[in-house]
Amino acid sequence: MNHRGTLLGGDLRYIDPKYSGTLSGQFMNYDKILGRDRWKYDWQQRQMLGRAWNGYANVSKVSDNLYPIDFSYGIGGAVTNQFRQEVGTNYGGIKNWNFTARALTFQTLQPDPTAPVTSPYNILPQVTANYRNQRALGAPGSFSGGFNRTPDITFNADFTRFSYNTNNLYAPASGMPQGGSFSQADRTVIRGSIALPQITPGYFLRPKLSFQANQYSGVLTNSPSTSINQSLNQPIQGFALPTFSLDSGLAFERDAREMKGFFGRDMIVTMEPRAFYVYTPFQSQAQTPLFDTADAGFGITQIFSENTFVGNDRVADNNKLTMGLTSRVLETNTGAERATVTLAQRQDFTGQRVGLNGTIQNPTRYSDTLGASTIRLLGNFNVDLFGQYNTQLNRFVQSSVGAGWRPTPGRSLNFAYRNVWNPPTDGTNSGVTQTDQYNAFGEWPIFKKYRVLGRWGYDALTAKTLNTLVGLQYDADCWTARFAYSQARNTSQITTTQVLFQLEFRGFASVGNNPVDEMRLNVPGYQPVAKPLPPSPYENYQ
């Protein structure tokens, strides 16, 4: 800092029965290294405007590309490349209805000139109306012997004006806004659904009929998505699609006397088969823009979903059946889940043709087999496993292993490994490994009042360390001292190294750079105080 100049910062917190908020800022009058002023501000407020009516503001901005790297006191802040400016309101004073309105813009930074950066669309504005009449748990008919005569109905109307301005991007060399063109388009989305769920302790059945209609207006140029570079003579395409789905499952359970010797208590084993079918006709969306939509990924949750995309700009064509089987091991007296195993596979009868960036020409009609397992042994030892197996290539394309031991609060040792392999597109077995990473982290008391924390992340593909943390904490009766050394690779060229120290007087104040967020980010489960509150007796209640 002595090479740059003097940085002045301040924080203001305020609270009232009808509003509360925080305002913080930093300012440096002429940075001697870069030759200009540097600044940052952040404003957050929550406001009660009336009965069931509230508003909020979340506004932050920085002066240039490199500000978070040069002046942030935490790795989480150093890797931030987007700052939001958002104001909005919410009204829920009408039964079953909710209305929202907001405006949102982004400031996108590009600290590494070689790394591609895409700025999101600004939302100016978004107005939504939502209706939902779903029955509350335990309402009449929730566990009846037949279909409930009152269906679950949802309705959603969404109008959003998207704008894109390359001025949102900051030039890498100067760190200042760069010039560019401006484009704008409106999107109106109408969605609705009706379902007749039947839920009993032994089975569930949920038939559902839904629809979605999208309409667009406006022309976009120089947009961040290649699928929406429309010419002036090429209108943006909307769509209207229905979807039918049927979700069903059974639940069997039995006393597991053979496991009492292993766990030391009475246990229950369940067997829960599940079948999920969904049908949506095909409609080309090759000329439909992408504003806020992405692939949902492929996991245990997504394989039982109606749409393979998240967002409103794509609806996948479906003729798919997903079969799954889950088994759980539960404690009889408390209901605590000690182990769970899930296997699932989806069969596509026609092949999905709707893609994120156009129509898929040769769709596949099968899915990889997914498997996931979680084991919670006595002594607070846990193991988590996940695998995605490609039956045509006879290999795992995604796998992860995690293990942890937490005998008491403040004591934990953890290990994690993740591997992702990108299948080839030519039918061969010559895919590319995209991720091959190891992580080890934990905390442990070494003396009566001392605790050490650490984390090490390693990328086997580049043979480089991704992040490192070494922390030390001393807990006295009325004060705490924390020290942390951290190093993180933000991009291929930028590595942030920090040394943080804080002296905290409990219930009064603290001095120094707070490393608590850094420690929580790198060591999940870390508690700043030596004696945290005991867990609730209803923590495992189901």
Side-chain angles (χ1 to χ4, degrees):
M1 291 296 294
N2 63 323
H3 295 291
R4 296 185 179 276
T6 302
L7 180 72
L8 179 66
D11 298 276
L12 171 67
R13 295 180 294 172
Y14 51 94
I15 188 170
D16 184 84
K18 292 187 177 181
Y19 62 85
S20 64
T22 61
L23 177 64
S24 62
Q26 298 174 350
F27 179 76
M28 173 177 286
N29 185 20
Y30 193 78
D31 186 328
K32 291 181 288 186
I33 295 179
L34 297 183
R36 61 172 180 267
D37 296 343
R38 312 287 298 277
W39 50 264
K40 172 187 177 181
Y41 66 83
D42 182 60
W43 172 46
Q44 299 184 31
Q45 180 164 326
R46 300 293 181 268
Q47 179 90 35
M48 292 298 299
L49 303 175
R51 180 180 174 274
W53 185 22
N54 60 73
Y56 66 91
N58 183 5
V59 180
S60 61
K61 205 166 186 178
V62 295
S63 59
D64 55 82
N65 267 322
L66 300 177
Y67 192 96
I69 296 176
D70 293 340
F71 299 107
S72 292
Y73 299 123
I75 297 298
V79 300
T80 300
N81 72 336
Q82 286 182 353
F83 291 85
R84 300 163 62 96
Q85 301 89 46
E86 180 178 5
V87 294
T89 183
N90 180 285
Y91 179 73
I94 303 177
K95 182 180 179 181
N96 297 331
W97 283 91
N98 180 265
F99 303 90
T100 68
R102 66 169 181 163
L104 170 63
T105 61
F106 293 92
Q107 178 194 14
T108 301
L109 310 181
Q110 191 176 6
D112 185 358
T114 63
V117 176
T118 299
S119 177
Y121 284 98
N122 295 328
I123 297 175
L124 299 170
Q126 181 183 37
V127 181
T128 68
N130 306 281
Y131 174 83
R132 190 184 189 96
N133 80 327
Q134 287 190 325
R135 294 168 287 133
L137 184 63
S142 295
F143 296 99
S144 62
F147 283 101
N148 181 50
R149 294 183 179 179
T150 303
D152 291 345
I153 299 175
T154 65
F155 174 81
N156 171 265
D158 182 320
F159 171 81
T160 307
R161 170 162 291 178
F162 295 95
S163 66
Y164 183 76
N165 189 350
T166 52
N167 282 324
N168 290 340
L169 286 175
Y170 273 44
S174 64
M176 303 303 291
Q178 56 183 329
S181 62
F182 178 81
S183 55
Q184 180 176 288
D186 298 338
R187 183 188 69 188
T188 302
V189 180
I190 303 296
R191 293 188 300 178
S193 69
I194 180 171
L196 289 170
Q198 165 69 6
I199 305 174
T200 72
Y203 70 92
F204 71 90
L205 190 66
R206 182 180 173 84
K208 180 181 176 182
L209 183 64
S210 59
F211 73 92
Q212 178 173 332
N214 285 28
Q215 182 181 5
Y216 299 86
S217 61
V219 177
L220 297 174
T221 57
N222 293 337
S223 56
S225 174
T226 57
S227 67
I228 53 175
N229 289 328
Q230 308 287 337
S231 66
L232 293 176
N233 298 322
Q234 195 173 13
I236 301 175
Q237 179 187 18
F239 58 86
L241 287 167
T243 297
F244 170 77
S245 66
L246 178 63
D247 196 4
S248 61
L250 301 173
F252 304 96
E253 67 177 43
R254 67 175 180 87
D255 294 330
R257 296 185 178 88
E258 68 277 7
M259 294 187 179
K260 184 175 182 180
F262 182 78
F263 289 99
R265 58 197 69 186
D266 294 331
M267 308 298 291
I268 293 177
V269 174
T270 71
M271 189 68 68
E272 305 167 28
R274 182 180 179 183
F276 177 77
Y277 175 78
V278 57
Y279 176 79
T280 305
F282 169 77
Q283 184 174 350
S284 176
Q285 296 157 49
Q287 298 300 323
T288 302
L290 284 175
F291 292 121
D292 56 3
T293 303
D295 283 310
F298 192 65
I300 296 296
T301 302
Q302 290 80 10
I303 200 172
F304 289 100
S305 62
E306 297 176 348
N307 196 3
T308 59
F309 305 104
V310 289
N312 289 325
D313 295 314
R314 291 289 183 274
V315 174
D317 55 312
N318 295 303
N319 188 10
K320 304 170 184 175
L321 175 64
T322 302
M323 302 292 291
L325 181 65
T326 299
S327 180
R328 311 176 198 270
V329 179
L330 311 173
E331 291 186 14
T332 303
N333 294 330
T334 65
E337 188 175 276
R338 287 298 176 182
T340 177
V341 178
T342 299
L343 293 174
Q345 187 178 35
R346 183 173 60 201
Q347 175 66 45
D348 196 333
F349 298 107
T350 57
Q352 178 180 321
R353 298 173 58 193
V354 175
L356 195 64
N357 295 307
T359 301
I360 301 174
Q361 299 301 324
N362 298 307
T364 60
R365 298 189 179 186
Y366 72 97
S367 79
D368 298 338
T369 301
L370 297 181
S373 177
T374 299
I375 303 174
R376 302 284 184 266
L377 300 177
L378 300 181
N380 291 322
F381 179 79
N382 62 277
V383 177
D384 296 287
L385 305 171
F386 173 78
Q388 178 181 340
Y389 187 79
N390 189 302
T391 54
Q392 288 192 344
L393 301 175
N394 291 324
R395 66 164 296 163
F396 283 96
V397 296
Q398 185 176 180
S399 60
S400 63
V401 178
W405 180 45
R406 190 177 185 183
T408 59
R411 289 179 169 88
S412 68
L413 298 174
N414 305 273
F415 171 80
Y417 170 74
R418 183 169 182 261
N419 180 277
V420 178
W421 186 78
N422 188 23
T425 58
D426 55 2
T428 65
N429 199 22
S430 58
V432 178
T433 301
Q434 292 182 316
T435 303
D436 192 20
Q437 297 178 355
Y438 300 82
N439 277 280
F441 54 93
E443 61 172 322
W444 205 266
I446 53 176
F447 299 109
K448 183 177 181 180
K449 296 183 178 181
Y450 288 89
R451 283 192 286 167
V452 293
L453 302 92
R455 183 185 184 96
W456 177 68
Y458 178 76
D459 186 1
L461 295 181
T462 60
K464 293 181 179 180
T465 296
L466 295 175
N467 50 51
T468 303
L469 171 73
V470 179
L472 177 66
Q473 178 167 321
Y474 176 82
D475 297 297
D477 293 334
C478 58
W479 61 276
T480 298
R482 300 183 182 94
F483 168 84
Y485 169 86
S486 66
Q487 189 177 72
R489 185 176 299 276
N490 303 333
T491 67
S492 59
Q493 297 184 5
I494 300 176
T495 299
T496 300
T497 302
Q498 296 177 326
V499 179
L500 309 176
F501 177 78
Q502 181 190 50
L503 185 63
E504 177 184 350
F505 302 95
R506 296 184 183 175
F508 177 63
S510 63
V511 294
N513 299 327
N514 187 2
V516 171
D517 292 339
E518 193 69 22
M519 293 176 172
R520 282 176 169 167
L521 178 67
N522 286 277
V523 185
Y526 162 74
Q527 296 290 341
V529 295
K531 296 180 180 180
L533 295 175
S536 166
Y538 301 104
E539 183 177 6
N540 293 317
Y541 174 77
Q542 296 186 14

